[in-house]
């Protein structure tokens, strides 16, 4: 240590210098308070030994100045008074002026060594604290930079989503620097809206890290026309592979299909999704039936969403568990009951969103949330119209070229691969306008699904007529497809340039038994039910649509 | 702050979490399930006793998954004495597909 000794008596000074030097310290000497303060400022020693009674400036004043200065430079520099005083009041005065301890004269080597060593330890402790504080500040700065970086990347990823969808309302209340909740939505090439609300374990950076690959997969697969089940499975696969055990994402994926008039909901560990009717009543709660994303890999993952007819849904209300677990100042939770009451109090579907938002805000009454809160309302009926409004109709402006392609898919392939995204990707490349693309996609998907469901699997679509039937129909579909031993579906597409645009011929053939073609036609002409509407829809978009053979081949022509 | 306690007998390990089971106890919980039985053997059965647990959050679910990984495929994990709130949270997350909940 570097120790400053301030002492007017030359003999005492020399003695102290010898003692301290023997202990291995470096010694600085001053003859009075004023010199002592000056030397202190210049050298900033590690410790000061200060005589009390000196000419020019006494020890009290010198210590007052020294302590003020060492406070300014943010260091603890111990000061020990050297005194022959024995009066208690005088000794107390030493401490009052900022002294940390005192040593009595005459000097005793053992005592001096003990005191100096003790302050050496305290001095070292302060040094360590100061270094740790610096280190903490450095880490804090680094962390803030990294959060800035993550937020930048995160914003870039989610900025791809379409703006201004009127029938989608959202409210997010993050706890950390940014939310552990992720809300993304995007339109598919087939004209559906895909929405995902995810809630990652943890908040801030840890959560955002997972959100980046998830939203990337969500956007790219949605734009390529993959179905909801495939998107859920791919996100699950990626998270299972990327995240360490114990980290996962509770999520709900939803597709709203205004063309086929149906809603798909895949709920993996988010609280129940509320189905609201036009009067604002909760008609159903879609419970989570799946594990969160990223928990189990591969074959254990249940990818199949629930399918609900659009006509049964006025709007859907989604929220993260932060909403029902939010607490008020007396520690009570908002709960499902609080949510039910808030919805009930709204009185109409249009008022539900604000009623819930106001309800939770009033309930918390400024009390800090301990989990991110997200609330999302999808007005399904309105959305299905809005999705089609923005679509550009008419010719694409580029000259159509001639091409054809043919796919033949066996049962094994159909179980694993949905052919529609593959075909859609191709159609995107051919520069169809958005309106044309939606039409062709709709026709193709109806024809292909029909070939699989009715041609190969011989499912009875009248089962779809009831609410529960709609779901069991799709469960049955997947079961039958798993069991089917053989069969195939062939798809042929051919485009030729014609005056004013293009002609796309579609031909879908299945290896099934076929059916009575005339009966289908008569059903198409007067069917207003929920089922069998797919083919009627496809036919309305085509210039011709005819069944051939024993009903297992269909040919359609689309002009655009 | 929650308390994690652990006891073992006949090749079974029982872990109890008293209070709130959240991220604050992750070190204690991990230390508990990483213990080996006498002779260095790994338990064949884990009993997670939530009898004195008030609340679990998503990081607790994460810790259960870590225990499941540590226990390996052959091991048996039973979660017992859940209050209704904890049952609901385990239910929403469909953890009954991964754990035996009594």
């Amino acid at each position: 240590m570097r120790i400053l000794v301030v002492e007017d008596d030359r003999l005492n000074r020399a003695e102290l210098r010898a003692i301290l030097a023997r202990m291995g310290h470096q010694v600085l000497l001053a003859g009075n308070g004023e010199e002592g303060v000056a030397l202190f400022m210049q050298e900033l020693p590690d410790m000061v030994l200060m005589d009390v009674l000196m000419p020019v400036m006494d020890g009290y004043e010198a210590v007052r100045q020294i302590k003020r200065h060492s406070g300014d430079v943010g260091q603890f520099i111990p000061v020990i008074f050297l005194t022959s005083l024995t009066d208690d009041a005088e000794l107390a005065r030493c401490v009052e002026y900022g002294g940390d301890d005192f040593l009595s004269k005459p000097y005793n080597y053992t005592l001096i060594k003990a005191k100096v060593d003790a302050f050496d330890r305290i001095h070292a402790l302060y040094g360590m604290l100061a270094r740790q504080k610096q280190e903490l500040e450095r880490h804090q700065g680094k962390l803030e930079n990294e959060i800035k970086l993550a937020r930048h990347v995160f914003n870039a990823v989610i900025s791809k989503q379409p703006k201004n969808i009127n029938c989608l309302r959202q409210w997010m209340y993050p706890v950390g620097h940014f939310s552990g909740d992720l809300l993304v939505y995007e339109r598919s090439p087939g004209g559906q809206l895909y929405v995902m609300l995810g809630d990652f374990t943890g908040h801030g950076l840890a959560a955002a890290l997972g959100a980046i690959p998830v939203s990337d997969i969500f956007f790219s697969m949605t734009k390529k026309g993959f179905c909801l089940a495939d998107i859920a499975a791919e996100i699950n696969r990626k998270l299972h592979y990327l995240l360490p055990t114990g980290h996962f994402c509770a999520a709900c994926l939803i597709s709203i299909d205004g063309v086929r008039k149906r809603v798909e909901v895949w709920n993996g560990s988010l609280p129940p999704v509320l189905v609201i009717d036009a009067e604002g009543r909760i008609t159903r709660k879609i419970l989570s039936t799946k594990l969160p994303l990223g928990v189990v890999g591969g074959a254990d993952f249940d990818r199949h969403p629930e399918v609900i007819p659009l006509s049964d849904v006025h709007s859907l209300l989604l929220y993260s568990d932060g909403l029902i677990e939010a607490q008020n100042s007396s520690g009570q939770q908002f709960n499902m009951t609080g949510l039910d009451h808030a919805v009930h109090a709204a009185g109409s579907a249009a008022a539900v969103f604000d009623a819930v938002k106001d309800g939770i805000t009033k309930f918390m009454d400024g009390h800090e949330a301990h989990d991110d809160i997200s609330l999302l309302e999808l007005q399904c009926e309105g959305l299905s119209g809005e999705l089609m409004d923005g679509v550009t109709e008419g010719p694409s402006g580029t000259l159509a070229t001639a091409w054809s392609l043919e796919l033949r898919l066996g049962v094994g392939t159909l179980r694993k691969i949905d052919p529609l995204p593959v075909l859609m990707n191709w159609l995107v490349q051919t520069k169809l306008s958005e309106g044309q693309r939606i039409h062709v996609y709709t026709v193709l998907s109806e024809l292909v699904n029909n070939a699989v469901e009715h041609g190969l699997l011989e499912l009875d679509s009248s089962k779809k007529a009831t609410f529960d039937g709609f779901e069991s129909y799709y469960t049955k579909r997947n079961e039958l497809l798993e069991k089917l031993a053989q069969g195939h579906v062939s798809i042929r597409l051919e485009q030729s340039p014609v005056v004013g645009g293009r002609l796309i011929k579609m031909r879908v053939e299945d290896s099934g038994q076929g059916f009575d073609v005339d009966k289908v036609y008569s059903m198409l002409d007067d069917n207003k039910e929920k089922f069998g509407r797919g083919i009627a829809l496809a036919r309305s978009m085509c210039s011709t649509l005819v069944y051939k053979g024993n009903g297992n081949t269909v040919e359609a022509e689309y002009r655009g | 702050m929650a308390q994690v306690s652990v006891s073992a007998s006949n090749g079974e390990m029982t872990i109890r979490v008293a209070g709130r089971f959240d991220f604050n106890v992750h070190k204690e919980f991990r230390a508990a399930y990483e213990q080996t039985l006498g002779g260095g053997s790994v338990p064949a059965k884990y009993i997670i006793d939530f009898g004195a647990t008030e609340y679990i959050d998503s990081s607790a679910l994460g810790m259960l998954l870590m225990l499941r990984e540590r226990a390996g495929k052959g091991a048996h994990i039973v979660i017992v004495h859940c209050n209704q709130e904890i049952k609901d949270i385990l239910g929403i997350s469909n953890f009954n597909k991964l754990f035996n909940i009594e």
Side-chain angles (χ1 to χ4, degrees):
Chain A
M1 275 203 298
R2 289 160 67 247
I3 303 176
L4 170 63
V5 174
V6 189
E7 161 72 270
D8 62 330
D9 184 293
R10 194 190 301 194
L11 278 177
N12 279 347
R13 228 166 38 218
E15 191 188 354
L16 275 172
R17 178 189 200 157
I19 292 173
L20 293 170
R22 226 174 99 199
M23 286 162 53
H25 299 296
Q26 190 191 334
V27 186
L28 308 162
L29 297 173
N32 62 51
E34 199 175 79
E35 274 180 41
V37 172
L39 201 55
F40 179 89
M41 304 275 201
Q42 191 187 318
E43 297 286 339
L44 269 188
D46 302 315
M47 189 186 294
V48 180
L49 301 183
M50 178 74 69
D51 191 15
V52 181
L53 303 171
M54 287 180 291
V56 188
M57 183 191 283
D58 67 11
Y60 299 127
E61 177 56 22
V63 167
R64 205 180 55 78
Q65 293 191 19
I66 280 172
K67 281 289 177 182
R68 198 174 53 201
H69 187 69
S70 60
D72 288 348
V73 297
Q75 287 183 22
F76 171 69
I77 301 170
V79 174
I80 303 176
F81 274 106
L82 306 165
T83 174
S84 47
L85 303 168
T86 46
D87 180 7
D88 285 348
E90 287 296 324
L91 291 174
R93 206 170 154 215
C94 290
V95 176
E96 198 182 302
Y97 272 78
D100 298 294
D101 204 346
F102 36 81
L103 269 168
S104 305
K105 298 176 185 181
Y107 302 130
N108 168 318
Y109 177 82
T110 313
L111 204 60
I112 292 180
K113 184 167 186 333
K115 291 220 167 170
V116 169
D117 283 352
F119 277 104
D120 194 7
R121 284 196 296 275
I122 294 175
H123 179 79
L125 206 61
Y126 268 85
M128 194 173 77
L129 276 178
R131 278 194 304 279
Q132 284 174 343
K133 185 166 168 269
Q134 265 184 356
E135 186 81 345
L136 273 178
E137 282 168 356
R138 205 172 57 81
H139 279 295
Q140 174 91 13
K142 212 171 137 193
L143 184 68
E144 273 166 18
N145 270 334
E146 281 172 0
I147 286 173
K148 257 189 224 159
L149 173 70
R151 191 192 288 137
H152 177 89
V153 176
F154 184 72
N155 288 342
V157 171
I158 62 167
S159 68
K160 285 195 263 175
Q161 64 195 6
K163 307 279 186 302
N164 303 329
I165 293 187
N166 291 324
C167 296
L168 181 153
R169 287 197 280 180
Q170 62 184 88
W171 179 62
M172 297 185 96
Y173 184 94
V175 168
H177 279 269
F178 53 108
S179 179
D181 289 356
L182 171 73
L183 169 64
V184 283
Y185 47 91
E186 178 60 280
R187 288 161 56 162
S188 78
Q192 299 106 320
L193 181 74
Y194 282 49
V195 182
M196 172 175 174
L197 178 64
D199 177 3
F200 284 87
T201 35
H203 320 281
L205 192 55
L209 267 179
I212 290 166
V214 167
S215 42
D216 230 12
I217 294 169
F218 176 84
F219 288 124
S220 61
M221 287 185 78
T222 300
K223 278 193 238 165
K224 284 178 185 151
F226 281 92
C227 63
L228 205 64
D230 284 349
I231 298 176
E234 177 58 18
I235 292 175
N236 180 67
R237 192 193 63 79
K238 190 82 172 189
L239 286 183
H240 185 59
Y241 155 77
L242 277 181
L243 297 181
T245 303
H247 284 258
F248 51 79
C249 178
C252 184
L253 283 86
I254 289 182
S255 78
I256 294 164
D257 186 339
V259 181
R260 272 169 224 82
K261 305 285 177 205
R262 66 185 195 200
V263 177
E264 292 185 345
V265 180
W266 186 96
N267 186 356
S269 302
L270 275 197
V273 175
L274 305 188
V275 179
I276 312 271
D277 70 6
E279 278 74 47
R281 291 175 303 217
I282 302 172
T283 53
R284 193 186 162 191
K285 294 178 177 177
I286 306 170
L287 302 181
S288 148
T289 53
K290 330 278 183 193
L291 286 163
L293 294 168
V295 172
V296 291
D300 295 333
F301 181 73
D302 177 1
R303 61 167 69 199
H304 299 297
E306 291 188 36
V307 186
I308 301 164
L310 188 63
S311 53
D312 292 347
V313 185
H314 180 276
S315 52
L316 292 174
L317 206 65
L318 277 84
Y319 45 93
S320 58
D321 58 4
L323 181 94
I324 43 177
E325 287 173 16
Q327 294 184 351
N328 62 12
S329 48
S330 38
Q332 291 164 316
Q333 289 196 346
F334 190 55
N335 267 332
M336 280 307 291
T337 329
L339 179 59
D340 287 349
H341 283 312
V343 173
H344 183 72
S348 75
V352 165
F353 182 82
D354 287 330
V356 172
K357 196 176 130 185
D358 293 348
I360 185 73
T361 313
K362 274 200 194 107
F363 177 79
M364 286 163 67
D365 192 25
H367 191 66
E368 191 115 350
H370 68 272
D371 195 5
D372 306 306
I373 298 176
S374 296
L375 177 66
L376 173 70
E377 182 197 58
L378 300 165
Q379 294 165 24
C380 297
E381 196 63 42
L383 269 172
S384 67
E386 195 179 345
L387 287 171
M388 301 310 291
D389 283 350
V391 169
T392 50
E393 295 284 348
S396 57
T398 42
L399 197 63
T401 53
W403 51 260
S404 71
L405 64 84
E406 194 157 349
L407 282 177
R408 189 187 147 99
L409 307 159
V411 173
T413 315
L414 285 170
R415 276 198 278 266
K416 289 199 193 86
I417 297 173
D418 180 0
L420 291 166
V422 180
L423 295 170
M424 202 59 226
N425 236 338
W426 169 252
L427 291 171
V428 169
Q429 303 302 322
T430 65
K431 309 268 188 250
L432 288 168
S433 77
E434 203 178 356
Q436 292 169 338
R437 207 170 62 208
I438 290 174
H439 285 155
V440 175
Y441 180 85
T442 305
V443 174
L444 258 182
S445 64
E446 289 308 331
L447 299 186
V448 171
N449 286 337
N450 230 38
V452 174
E453 290 164 15
H454 306 308
L456 284 187
L457 304 177
E458 296 175 0
L459 271 159
D460 179 0
S461 70
S462 67
K463 291 249 174 63
K464 274 195 278 189
T466 61
F467 199 109
D468 287 337
F470 219 87
E471 271 174 57
S472 60
Y473 177 85
Y474 283 96
T475 313
K476 190 81 186 158
R477 175 197 195 273
N478 296 323
E479 274 174 26
L480 287 175
L481 194 56
E482 283 302 318
K483 276 191 234 153
L484 192 67
Q486 56 178 359
H488 71 265
V489 170
S490 297
I491 305 162
R492 187 182 153 77
L493 287 181
E494 183 185 344
Q495 174 176 284
S496 36
V498 294
V499 178
R502 63 182 87 211
L503 170 68
I504 297 176
K505 288 184 183 169
M506 294 168 253
R507 182 174 192 274
V508 178
E509 184 194 338
D510 65 72
S511 62
Q513 300 283 316
F515 47 84
D516 184 348
V517 176
D518 289 334
K519 208 174 134 198
V520 170
Y521 282 132
S522 67
M523 204 171 84
L524 283 179
D525 290 331
D526 57 25
N527 187 352
K528 289 181 182 64
E529 297 301 316
K530 282 193 178 90
F531 53 91
R533 220 168 37 179
I535 293 302
L537 180 73
R539 194 165 68 158
S540 71
M541 293 172 172
C542 294
S543 47
T544 62
L545 187 150
V546 285
Y547 276 92
K548 295 207 165 153
N550 53 359
N552 58 357
T553 301
V554 60
E555 287 181 3
E557 289 189 5
Y558 174 81
R559 283 168 195 277
Chain B
M1 178 93 169
Q3 294 262 320
V4 179
S5 60
V6 56
S7 62
S9 67
N10 302 329
E12 296 181 4
M13 178 182 275
T14 303
I15 302 174
R16 287 184 189 79
V17 183
R20 288 175 72 88
F21 187 14
D22 59 19
F23 189 73
N24 294 314
V25 295
H26 84 280
K27 270 190 184 157
E28 289 83 351
F29 188 76
R30 192 191 171 122
Y33 72 68
E34 282 186 345
Q35 286 180 32
T36 50
L37 305 174
S41 63
V42 175
K45 182 177 177 185
Y46 292 85
I47 301 162
I48 309 300
D49 187 341
F50 281 156
T53 314
E54 293 158 19
Y55 168 84
I56 64 171
D57 73 351
S58 66
S59 57
L61 298 178
M63 285 182 261
L64 290 174
L65 292 175
M66 285 163 74
L67 163 65
R68 181 170 166 264
E69 186 180 65
R70 155 92 183 179
K73 284 224 153 43
H76 189 42
I77 305 172
V78 193
I79 300 175
V80 297
H81 302 136
C82 305
N83 66 27
Q84 193 54 47
E85 210 177 359
I86 293 176
K87 263 188 204 150
D88 290 347
I89 289 171
L90 292 170
I92 281 181
S93 312
N94 289 286
F95 267 43
N96 51 335
K97 292 181 181 171
L98 304 176
F99 297 92
N100 195 342
I101 300 167
E102 285 180 359

